Structure formats: C-alpha cells, structure tokens
Amino acid sequence: MKLLIFWGSWLCLPFAALCLWALLRGRPAMKAVAAVALAITGVLAYARFVEPRQLVTHRETIVLPGASESSSPIRIALFADPHIGIFGNAMPVERIVARINAEDVDAVFLAGDLTYHPDPADIPEDFAALGNLHAPLFAVLGNHDVGRPGSDLTDPLLAALGEAGATIMHNRAVETDIAGHGIVISGASDLWQRRQDFTFSSSLPAGKPVILLTHNPDTALLVPDDFSYDLMLAGHTHGGQVRIPGLYRNILPVTGPFDRELHHFASPAGERLVYVTTGTGMVGVPMRFLMPPRVDILTIHLPE
C-alpha cells in the first residue's frame, strides 16, 4: 500500500495540469473547484517531491540539572529515523554526514530506525558514509531495524555500524571524554523488542553527567527509579507524524507525552530531560507535511 501511494503520487502532476486547464478554460463554478483542487494538490506535491530533499538544521541549548548557562558546554549532533530502504526519496546518509561535519561537533548520536524494508545486501553501501564522520558516533537500533515490523536486520546493521567505527549502546554504558569533559554515555535497545535491561545502571561512576540514548522516548516511562540519568536522546515519533499549521493534531506512536524537542519529566529520582528529534527520514507514507528532514545540533551545558 505504501509503495502504491509512493508511485501513485506521480499522478498529482497530470492532475495539476488538468486543474490548470480548468482554471483557464472552464466555467466559473469549475474554476472554483479547480482552484481548490490545485491548492490541495500543490501541498501534496510539495510534501512528496520537494520537502524530503530539504535537510534543515535545528539548534537547541540544553542546561542539564545542576548546571547553568555559564557552565562548560559540549556540542553534539543528534539524528534519527533515516529509514533508508524502499522509498527512493529518503535523505541520503552522505548529505546527513556532510551537514554534521560542517558543524564541527564533539560527538554524534544516532537514535535508531536506520532502515525501512531495505535489501539487506545494500546495507553496507547505504551506511558506509557514517565512517566519514569527524566526531565519535554512538548509535542504537530502532523498531524497524529489529523486525518490529519487517525483517530483523540487527546483524547486517551492527556490522555496517562497526565498519563505520560506531559505538553500539544497547543496554550498556561507557565512560568517555567529550571535549575534555568526563561523561557517561548509556543506551537502551529498542522498546518494542522488549529486551531492554538497565542492570548496567547499578555500576555507573558517581559525579559525572549521564546521557541515555534510545529510539523510543516511551523508554522514559520504564527506566528504573534508581537510574538517575541527566538527558535522554530519542527519535521515533517524527515530531508527531503530521503537523499542519492551523490544523494541528498529533498522531503519535507513543503512549507518553513525548512528541518532539525538549521535555521535562519528573521522576522519583529527580528531574529528567528528554529530547526527541523529528528525524531525517520518511514516516509511514512518504510525506512529511511541512516538517522537513532535520539534524539537531545541541549545545549541552554540563554541571561543574
């Protein structure tokens, strides 16, 4: 069905030509109908043919609990949901990497859903450009990558990410240095796979900020109370799937309140921050509706 919509969307071009003919040659009533039809077709054509090729950069400043705007910052890039696969207008990984490299960030975080029903044989080539990143890459897989739905592509994707030098953050934590700051990077596997395991949190070093990377932001509702991370990075929701100014509605594949950007989440362990990117790839049918592919550049102020 989605491929039918994808290829059938080309019919909007001859339909638009027919509407133009009616505007020029039709009777007044027909001209009115044609004008409305042409306007609707124009929005759909823009969402299908133009917007997916526009990669925008969203910048955000995040002050972690215990920090201030005068505290030392790090700069990271976050992207998710490239959904490389059956849709030929998905944003190429090469463009994403080039945009991130131009920002001179200290680290890169990839929050899953790399694929959407690809040919497994194409995976090494599809993601080889990740090896050209100038900053260390931390990554997790998403539901489409692990067969929820579709085929389980865990093995070829982990191999491709390994070739690119990525650190896979599934149910583990690593203590690392980013721009001269000691930080703990932790990660959780995909929520829908039902294999998340936070036992690693019992042995985290004290006194260092903790970033938690995962795909589905609903993970925030399931993190144990004694796991006191500072910032969760996630994707999955595509910013609410469809956002049309004046007709705003959320259609979210999550049960929590997380649609996009920064959320403050109260927990028994204290305040947690959840940041959700809208992603760089397609959602369901290949139309974004005024929400182009996006890379997030985050300036994160750390506690002293």
Side-chain angles (χ1 to χ4, degrees):
M1 175 59 71
K2 293 173 182 177
L3 279 177
L4 179 63
I5 297 173
F6 181 76
W7 293 111
S9 60
W10 285 94
L11 293 175
C12 71
L13 301 181
F15 182 75
L18 181 62
C19 292
L20 285 173
W21 179 86
L23 279 172
L24 295 173
R25 304 293 296 272
R27 296 179 179 179
M30 181 180 293
K31 287 184 178 181
V33 173
V36 173
L38 184 61
I40 295 173
T41 303
V43 172
L44 297 177
Y46 177 84
R48 164 63 175 87
F49 297 105
V50 179
E51 194 170 63
R53 312 311 302 171
Q54 297 177 334
L55 181 61
V56 302
T57 303
H58 179 80
R59 304 179 191 280
E60 192 90 20
T61 297
I62 300 175
V63 180
L64 295 187
S68 67
E69 292 186 356
S70 61
S71 302
S72 299
I74 61 173
R75 292 181 75 246
I76 70 168
L78 169 66
F79 73 103
D81 304 274
H83 287 302
I84 304 298
I86 61 174
F87 293 141
N89 60 346
M91 180 60 60
V93 174
E94 291 85 351
R95 282 191 63 189
I96 299 170
V97 168
R99 179 64 57 88
I100 292 173
N101 284 342
E103 293 290 334
D104 193 26
V105 297
D106 303 314
V108 182
F109 292 80
L110 171 52
D113 267 7
L114 285 74
T115 61
Y116 194 85
H117 305 291
D119 182 340
D122 293 337
I123 287 177
E125 181 180 355
D126 288 339
F127 298 100
L130 291 175
N132 297 327
L133 285 166
H134 297 166
L137 172 63
F138 301 90
V140 295
L141 301 184
N143 57 284
H144 283 287
D145 304 323
V146 299
R148 302 292 194 279
S151 301
D152 187 347
L153 300 170
T154 298
D155 290 341
L157 282 171
L158 292 184
L161 289 170
E163 285 293 319
T167 302
I168 308 301
M169 300 307 307
H170 285 173
N171 304 327
R172 61 186 292 242
V174 296
E175 187 176 355
T176 188
D177 182 279
I178 297 179
H181 302 279
I183 295 178
V184 175
I185 308 298
S186 61
S189 59
D190 182 65
L191 178 66
W192 289 2
Q193 196 179 25
R194 300 182 180 180
R195 296 181 184 175
Q196 290 184 337
D197 182 357
F198 293 97
T199 55
F200 66 84
S201 65
S202 62
S203 59
L204 296 182
K208 293 188 176 182
V210 178
I211 295 177
L212 174 60
L213 176 66
T214 192
H215 177 60
N216 191 324
D218 270 356
T219 297
L221 304 175
L222 302 176
V223 172
D225 292 340
D226 58 356
F227 180 14
S228 182
Y229 63 84
D230 295 284
L231 173 66
M232 175 186 290
L233 303 175
H236 183 63
T237 70
H238 298 275
Q241 304 287 10
V242 176
R243 289 173 177 261
I244 303 176
L247 297 174
Y248 171 74
R249 293 291 186 274
N250 283 337
I251 305 173
L252 300 176
V254 292
T255 57
F258 313 112
D259 51 3
R260 67 173 183 179
E261 298 172 7
L262 188 63
H263 300 261
H264 294 259
F265 180 63
S267 75
E271 182 185 31
R272 293 168 173 168
L273 301 181
V274 179
Y275 188 91
V276 185
T277 180
T278 61
T280 60
M282 297 296 96
V283 299
V285 298
M287 298 178 183
R288 294 298 296 248
F289 288 107
L290 309 181
M291 191 173 62
R294 190 175 97 179
V295 169
D296 291 77
I297 305 299
L298 307 179
T299 300
I300 302 174
H301 292 272
L302 307 174
E304 299 292 346

